Amino acid sequence: MNAAAAVLGVLWSDLRRRPGTALASLSAVASGVAVFVAILLAGSAARSSFVSAVQAVAGRATHEVTAEGGLDETRFPALLELPHVAAAQPVVEGRIAVEAVLRGGTSVRSPAPPLRILGVDPFRVGPFLGEPGKGTAPVVRDEDLTEFLTDPHAVVLPRRWADEAGAQAGDTLRVAAAGQIATLRVLAVYELDALGEAARDSAVIDIAAAQELLDKCGRLDRVDIALDEDDPACEAELSAALPPGERLQRPERRGERVARMIDAFRLNLLALGGLALVVGALLVFNAAQFSVVRRNALLGQLRALGVTRPLLMGAVLAEVVALGFVGGALGLALGSLLANRLAGRLAETITDLYAFVQVDVAPMTWPAAMLVLLGTAGVAAAAGFFPALDAARTPPRMVGLRSREEGLFRAQLPRLAFFALAFCAAGVGAMNFPTRAWWPGLIAAFAFVGTGACLLPAAMALLLPPLRKLGERMGLLALPLAVGALSRSLSRTGGAASALGVALAMTIGVITMVKSFESEVRRWIDGAIRADLFISDVNEHLAREDARVPNAALRELAAMPEVEALDTLRKIDLAYADRTMLFFGVNLPTPDSRERFEFLSGDGPSAIEGMLGGEAIVSEPLANRYNLGVGDTLAVNGRRGEVTFKILGVFRDFSYDRGYAVTGEKRYLEIFGETGVRNVAVYLKPGVEREAAARSVRERFAGRYVLNVRSNAELRGHILDVFNHTFALTYLLQTIATAFALGGITVTLFGLFLERAREIATLRALGSAVSHVGRLFAMESLLMALFPVLLALPLGAVLAWILVHVINLRSYGWSIAYAWPWSPVLGTCALAVAAGLCATLVPWALARRQSIAGALREE
Amino acid sequence: MSNASPDAAEPLIRCRGVKRGYGTAPARTVALAGVDLDVPAGQTLAIVGPSGSGKSTLLHLIGAMEIPDEGEVRVAGRDVTKLADDEAARFRREKIGFVFQFFNLIPTLSSLDNVALPARMAGRGAAEARAKARTLLERVSLGERAESRPDALSGGQQQRVAIARALVNDPRIVLADEPTGALDTASGEAVLKLLLEIVRERGTTLLMATHSEQAVAHAERRIRVEDGRIVADERRAP
């Protein structure tokens, strides 16, 4: 024990004397952990926000009855009569935007946070109030009841929302719901314990008023049920008693399909965060390796003084693990800060793609933080294992030999080459793994990253000597010197170059995937966006399935003289397999509107005819996800039970990754009832100018409807905006990983300078001007960036191929043609080289200030 | 005691009232406390004294690697204390050759390229510089080791490469800081003999900080530095 403490003490004193390497390790660990933790926290917050929102107001309900497209309200009395139903309450709910809180005609907050509208029957809600195990607090007080029932605009607000929005009883809310402007009067404010924490943004309104407000007249979203005995037998009996199309489920399972899709999205991001950790681990390996090489003499002396191999290995490993802990703790703190910044973007992306979420990042729990710290220490230990092993193999001696020190690293090159081969084999194996799941693609990506990371130092060892010879032959002065410096410090430069190479390859892979995607989407837009104007609910992302283009607005549009035809679209979210899908009902009134589908299989014109006649066509993601094709049968649940469609065609689509099916409007209404028109494409008469028509519609609708009116060009721009928005998060994470890797290069170059201070001083003593030294540094950094670029180009191409043809296809179902975007790829490489050159500024500034005599004096 | 030659035309090296210290009070160390020194062209001068007496500092000041706190250092008619950084670099390239105790060869370059390096930095073409370097390596009896890296050479061989490097630009002055300090006696003697031979045949001025009695014995002039001052100056016939 004493010996271990003594050895650790010696290493610690050396670490304090030269803290650069330790700081490099710390920053590598901290940065990798920070990115990972930020994604973890922001992703968890998004998911829990969604789950708590969909489960709000479950209260004491044990079950609920639902149907695709909602329940007919006339079903409610019959449900009360079913076996084991002790209590039941009908519920209508939806999200609305609050444009302003008005007091005495004056706005006190505009806009206010969105509200969730909860329409309930006040005479039936009683048994369901209060969180289980807590007391019941009334939502609507007896003295407010009459007004609540008789005033269709009366609303009772939750305390937290009211406080945040500055609203109080007596105020008026101007809201946008189902595509229209409406006003609500604040009758009272209820305390949170009435409905539970999850209902913090749920405004309670009479159910009839909610149906009107949300354009759901005659329909219920669900019926909450309290069973007399909550056991599986009762549940089965009740379930069997329900007619086809109605479904009994536990409230906590509501939204789980969407949550599953959010989970898949989070996993994709976490994988990206994992790659940031890989970059961090490479930098730790790099720093640990350099530390062992640099302290070779010290380690040899310790061995000469009788320190055993296991003790030395343990001490070096303990040092790396300790750095991992400290770096992990720093990463946790940084990650928590970063998570808050990330959360907003993540919420926007998830809202675009899946469901409305608002994210408040909760601090990481202690057990989770400990888990991250242990994980970080584990990664650090793995990264430090081989360097520690090398430390243990140090022969006992009193003087360190420089050539031996680097020889130590060079001896590892065959080992690295072996690992590169092993990783490569693992990658090829994962690619050929017989499954349609996307995770083997991810494993393959990690394996090929490992291949590149191991290969680069070996490649540098092979390529640097001929490069030096070339420089000598060409009579260049700086090149042989720079090559020599890098070659001599391969233990350090190799790892840093690998880290940058991997980060660049990831960037190139993602850029290529996104650009391939983008060019495909642009081509798709040209075919799919054919109408002149497009009209949809402004709050589409907020309201989701409750978004509407009001019927009155449709009638006005149809009556406009400029309008030739309206292509209306009805849309419903359906449970399908273990996830959800969308089902569209369309009318395709013009020949042009029928051209907007680009069929990948099936005969286009006849498929369209058949679809309008009641069969279905499906989007590529749906077909790929569930292995559907032309001639197959698609079975989904309608309001009155299962219905089947014959699939007549598969078309290309990039609008919904979960996929959708399309049928004719008539069959849609038969199966799902009137779910409301979600958006409408307007075909104008020949000669009518699009922008002018759009202005005319906006003016006509102003103040009455809250609808987006976009011209063809505007919608195209909007789609590309959403596209870029979706990938902004990916770019952000990539940028962070690359910045950290460039930081690693800077630290390495800085370390190289410190290590060679005497050599630089010698050059200057021999008459080298500071500008010559600057050119030497520039050449070194150029090489330090060029080798990673050489790795990044092929590795990035491989990663892009995996992203496009494996992960993207299997995860989202989109088939994309691989397009190599030279310009942004070369731009990224040029940026890395430029950043590398900038990284020489600090060492160069130090060289300028360096005392030649002082540096020569130092041993 | 003044070591200057008051009447003569300006010598190759002239130091007047040179003071140099390191650190700040109260921990300030005085390396040179007012040195006057004239060295004529072609002279071989041994600077002796205990460690920390200021020998190396004096060489660094003459080589324009440091600037004195006070005083004037003139070399070949120029006040080297007034040179800008790039001018000082050029001055070192053209006028000075350095030989260090620990050789300070660039470990990644061959012997030939180490020797050719200052010539390349002075703007000579690669072929010309290498040809000159090869001649000098042959002169120091290392023509056959021209392609060897420093780590493949013994200490004595490395110092011979360093001597060749110091001479490649035909400097007027060679400054040698403990040139035999890292060598065994036999190697040290051989290196010293070679260095003196070469500088004499070329008429190069040699200033050599040393603890070696042999070096002192072979030099034409010996000055002793103690506590930053020249306390003895002895000349003898070559």
Side-chain angles (χ1 to χ4, degrees):
Chain A
M1 200 63 193
N2 285 340
V7 172
L8 280 172
V10 171
L11 294 182
W12 171 240
S13 66
D14 182 70
L15 202 71
R16 281 172 55 195
R17 197 164 65 89
R18 293 189 177 183
T21 315
L23 287 176
S25 289
L26 275 183
S27 60
V29 176
S31 52
V33 171
V35 171
F36 192 75
V37 164
I39 295 172
L40 198 68
L41 282 177
S44 302
R47 188 191 196 280
S48 61
S49 142
F50 170 75
V51 170
S52 71
V54 295
Q55 288 179 359
V57 207
R60 294 180 177 181
T62 58
H63 291 77
E64 62 187 28
V65 175
T66 62
E68 302 297 358
L71 294 156
D72 192 316
E73 67 178 5
T74 57
R75 283 282 301 140
F76 182 68
L79 286 173
L80 282 172
E81 302 302 319
L82 290 174
H84 304 296
V85 173
Q89 67 149 344
V91 176
V92 168
E93 61 180 341
R95 288 189 181 276
I96 59 169
V98 181
E99 295 196 336
V101 177
L102 305 165
R103 187 170 302 149
T106 309
S107 170
V108 292
R109 176 81 189 265
S110 176
L115 267 176
R116 176 189 175 87
I117 288 292
L118 187 66
V120 295
D121 179 345
F123 295 110
R124 297 194 176 275
V125 76
F128 297 93
L129 289 179
E131 289 185 85
K134 292 188 181 174
T136 302
V139 173
V140 185
R141 291 170 305 182
D142 289 345
E143 58 267 36
D144 295 326
L145 198 54
T146 309
E147 231 175 320
F148 185 78
L149 289 170
T150 54
D151 181 354
H153 302 291
V155 65
V156 183
L157 292 178
R159 167 64 59 198
R160 174 154 339 158
W161 188 93
D163 289 348
E164 195 181 339
Q168 60 189 46
D171 288 350
T172 300
L173 307 181
R174 190 169 69 230
V175 301
Q180 302 192 72
I181 298 285
T183 55
L184 296 173
R185 193 170 61 79
V186 182
L187 183 63
V189 173
Y190 72 85
E191 301 304 325
L192 276 184
D193 60 356
L195 291 177
E197 173 66 19
R200 57 187 182 272
D201 62 348
S202 293
V204 178
I205 184 171
D206 178 55
I207 190 161
Q211 286 174 320
E212 191 179 333
L213 181 70
L214 299 170
D215 192 19
K216 292 183 177 178
C217 290
R219 293 163 73 108
L220 303 175
D221 285 307
R222 64 172 198 270
V223 172
D224 286 346
I225 302 272
L227 291 186
D228 52 6
E229 282 180 70
D230 186 8
D231 67 40
C234 294
E235 185 180 316
E237 199 176 335
L238 176 56
S239 190
L242 292 174
E246 288 179 13
R247 192 170 60 237
L248 182 73
Q249 68 178 16
R250 289 187 170 275
E252 58 269 25
R253 298 195 63 186
R254 192 190 314 153
E256 66 179 10
R257 287 185 170 84
V258 177
R260 211 170 281 139
M261 289 189 292
I262 294 177
D263 283 346
F265 180 74
R266 279 172 61 208
L267 199 60
N268 276 338
L269 285 180
L270 268 182
L272 210 59
L275 284 173
L277 270 187
V278 170
V279 173
L282 276 171
L283 291 171
V284 170
F285 169 78
N286 187 36
Q289 185 71 51
F290 175 72
S291 172
V292 168
V293 167
R294 183 180 62 74
R295 297 191 298 193
N296 192 252
L298 175 69
L299 298 173
Q301 284 160 16
L302 286 172
R303 291 274 292 119
L305 293 173
V307 176
T308 61
R309 286 181 194 279
L311 182 56
L312 201 57
M313 179 168 177
V316 171
L317 212 50
E319 187 185 58
V320 176
V321 169
L323 285 173
F325 258 115
V326 178
L330 283 172
L332 275 174
L334 274 174
S336 300
L337 292 174
L338 195 60
N340 283 312
R341 289 184 167 270
L342 207 61
R345 280 182 180 273
L346 192 62
E348 285 171 15
T349 306
I350 290 179
T351 296
D352 279 346
L353 295 177
Y354 306 111
F356 178 78
V357 290
Q358 283 176 303
V359 182
D360 287 321
V361 178
M364 189 169 251
T365 58
W366 280 110
M370 281 313 294
L371 208 63
V372 169
L373 281 181
L374 286 174
T376 310
V379 170
F385 179 77
F386 284 112
L389 200 63
D390 285 335
R393 287 176 181 162
T394 309
R397 63 170 181 277
M398 297 309 289
V399 180
L401 293 173
R402 172 105 207 140
S403 55
R404 265 197 80 96
E405 291 166 6
E406 272 305 319
L408 211 62
F409 180 75
R410 284 172 191 278
Q412 281 200 5
L413 294 178
R415 188 194 286 165
L416 284 174
F418 169 76
F419 278 129
L421 271 177
F423 275 127
C424 190
V428 171
M431 294 283 285
N432 291 297
F433 196 74
T435 173
R436 286 178 64 84
W438 62 275
W439 55 265
L442 191 67
I443 290 176
F446 271 99
F448 289 127
V449 160
T451 306
C454 292
L455 210 55
L456 192 62
M460 285 173 78
L462 277 177
L463 293 175
L464 283 172
L467 194 62
R468 176 167 53 202
K469 285 214 169 74
L470 181 72
E472 284 165 2
R473 210 165 285 163
M474 290 171 68
L476 300 171
L477 184 60
L479 185 60
L481 284 172
V483 167
L486 297 190
S487 184
R488 195 159 55 101
S489 304
L490 203 57
S491 60
R492 184 151 215 227
T493 52
S498 283
L500 180 59
V502 165
L504 277 179
M506 284 156 50
T507 307
I508 289 172
V510 169
I511 286 177
T512 306
M513 186 266 285
V514 174
K515 291 295 173 191
S516 301
F517 207 159
E518 189 181 332
S519 74
E520 205 71 51
V521 166
R522 282 181 187 277
R523 203 176 59 75
W524 169 75
I525 286 174
D526 284 344
I529 308 300
R530 304 179 86 88
D532 299 301
L533 304 181
F534 295 86
I535 297 170
S536 60
D537 191 333
V538 164
N539 298 306
E540 197 172 6
H541 286 310
L542 177 69
R544 311 299 298 189
E545 52 267 39
D546 299 327
R548 292 281 186 283
V549 178
N551 285 334
L554 287 174
R555 284 193 294 276
E556 286 186 46
L557 278 171
M560 285 176 70
E562 304 96 316
V563 172
E564 182 171 284
L566 297 183
D567 181 3
T568 54
L569 184 140
R570 288 170 171 80
K571 182 161 71 175
I572 186 168
D573 282 46
L574 295 179
Y576 189 73
D578 62 336
R579 298 190 176 202
T580 69
M581 64 170 280
L582 294 164
F583 214 109
F584 288 11
V586 297
N587 60 344
L588 306 184
T590 64
D592 200 25
S593 64
R594 297 176 184 205
E595 295 292 320
R596 69 174 149 102
F597 295 99
E598 179 192 344
F599 281 92
L600 298 168
S601 61
D603 174 54
S606 62
I608 293 281
E609 282 307 317
M611 178 269 287
L612 289 172
E615 297 301 347
I617 55 176
V618 298
S619 70
E620 187 193 18
L622 191 75
N624 282 337
R625 193 184 293 280
Y626 300 107
N627 204 18
L628 299 171
V630 173
D632 289 345
T633 300
L634 176 68
V636 297
N637 278 319
R639 297 174 80 186
R640 294 184 187 83
E642 189 177 273
V643 285
T644 57
F645 297 85
K646 188 177 176 193
I647 297 173
L648 302 177
V650 177
F651 58 93
R652 190 184 291 283
D653 178 80
F654 293 106
S655 50
Y656 297 95
D657 69 324
R658 49 186 156 151
Y660 64 95
V662 186
T663 190
E665 188 178 76
K666 186 164 171 286
R667 179 98 196 273
Y668 178 94
L669 289 169
E670 280 170 16
I671 295 167
F672 302 112
E674 179 54 276
T675 56
V677 171
R678 290 286 281 274
N679 42 55
V680 56
V682 180
Y683 288 86
L684 299 171
K685 287 183 176 151
V688 177
E689 204 259 315
R690 283 172 173 169
E691 302 302 330
R695 275 197 303 277
S696 163
V697 174
R698 282 186 204 114
E699 282 163 14
R700 184 185 285 260
F701 286 175
R704 294 184 297 143
Y705 305 119
V706 277
L707 297 173
N708 266 325
V709 180
R710 294 189 177 100
S711 67
N712 184 292
E714 284 169 338
L715 183 66
R716 286 166 188 246
H718 173 70
I719 291 172
L720 289 173
D721 280 349
V722 170
F723 177 86
N724 290 328
H725 185 219
T726 304
F727 285 104
L729 195 64
T730 314
Y731 277 133
L732 178 72
L733 294 174
Q734 269 319 119
T735 308
I736 292 170
T738 308
F740 290 153
L742 281 169
I745 291 283
T746 309
V747 170
T748 302
L749 286 170
F750 185 62
L752 278 183
F753 167 74
L754 292 180
E755 190 189 335
R756 293 160 55 220
R758 201 151 174 267
E759 186 180 312
I760 301 296
T762 303
L763 284 175
R764 294 193 62 203
L766 295 177
S768 180
V770 173
S771 55
H772 289 150
V773 175
R775 278 203 287 278
L776 178 62
F777 285 159
M779 186 63 81
E780 283 171 20
S781 80
L782 201 64
L783 290 171
M784 278 292 282
L786 279 179
F787 274 100
V789 165
L790 283 180
L791 168 70
L793 287 172
L795 183 58
V798 170
L799 291 180
W801 193 91
I802 293 172
L803 282 169
V804 166
H805 291 305
V806 183
I807 295 179
N808 202 39
L809 185 66
R810 294 182 186 174
S811 181
Y812 298 107
W814 288 310
S815 66
I816 304 167
Y818 186 95
W820 182 251
W822 275 111
S823 162
V825 165
L826 292 181
T828 303
C829 295
L831 199 66
V833 172
L837 286 174
C838 287
T840 63
L841 290 177
V842 174
W844 190 48
L846 285 173
R848 285 179 72 90
R849 290 210 309 266
Q850 181 192 42
S851 156
I852 304 173
L856 287 173
R857 227 178 258 125
E858 278 178 18
E859 270 310 304
Chain B
M1 182 189 296
S2 169
N3 307 91
S5 311
D7 305 327
E10 183 166 323
L12 182 63
I13 299 168
R14 168 168 283 179
C15 301
R16 288 286 180 274
V18 175
K19 292 183 182 175
R20 177 74 168 121
Y22 300 102
T24 49
R28 186 169 173 80
T29 309
V30 175
L32 294 177
V35 167
D36 293 331
L37 174 69
D38 284 351
V39 182
Q43 190 171 63
T44 53
L45 169 68
I47 307 169
V48 297
S51 294
S53 59
K55 306 185 295 292
S56 296
T57 301
L58 183 58
L59 292 186
H60 292 151
L61 289 169
I62 293 167
M65 291 197 289
E66 283 190 69
I67 297 171
D69 299 328
E70 281 180 44
E72 184 186 55
V73 179
R74 294 180 68 81
V75 178
R78 295 183 74 180
D79 184 352
V80 299
T81 65
K82 301 277 193 300
L83 297 177
D85 199 74
D86 281 358
E87 287 174 323
R90 177 190 276 188
F91 164 77
R92 287 193 295 272
R93 269 199 311 262
E94 294 175 353
K95 308 283 187 217
I96 309 284
F98 283 97
V99 179
F100 304 100
Q101 179 179 2
F102 293 103
F103 331 129
N104 288 6
L105 298 178
I106 307 298
T108 57
L109 297 183
S110 65
S111 304
L112 186 69
D113 288 331
N114 260 295
V115 177
L117 187 64
R120 299 289 314 283
M121 290 193 298
R124 291 196 202 170
E128 186 192 352
R130 288 179 138 224
K132 181 84 183 284
R134 194 172 290 282
T135 308
L136 280 164
L137 277 176
E138 278 163 10
R139 174 66 189 84
V140 297
S141 307
L142 283 174
E144 291 180 358
R145 305 302 304 270
E147 299 305 326
S148 301
R149 296 270 169 75
D151 57 6
L153 301 175
S154 69
Q157 287 172 322
Q158 288 190 55
Q159 195 62 302
R160 281 192 274 156
V161 174
I163 290 169
R165 179 179 67 180
L167 296 166
V168 74
N169 282 337
D170 300 318
R172 296 190 66 186
I173 301 163
V174 168
L175 301 175
D177 193 356
E178 299 281 3
T180 59
L183 302 175
D184 60 69
T185 312
S187 304
E189 191 171 347
V191 162
L192 191 62
K193 199 173 156 199
L194 180 70
L195 176 61
L196 287 164
E197 253 177 44
I198 295 181
V199 295
R200 280 182 182 139
E201 72 192 28
R202 294 168 153 255
T204 308
T205 306
L206 173 69
L207 274 72
M208 176 169 48
T210 184
H211 288 289
S212 160
E213 287 305 321
Q214 283 173 314
V216 174
H218 286 99
E220 295 161 11
R221 181 180 172 193
R222 184 193 81 151
I223 60 171
R224 181 166 189 81
V225 182
E226 282 180 16
D227 299 326
R229 295 177 191 281
I230 295 174
V231 294
D233 187 348
E234 299 165 11
R235 290 175 174 82
R236 69 177 189 81

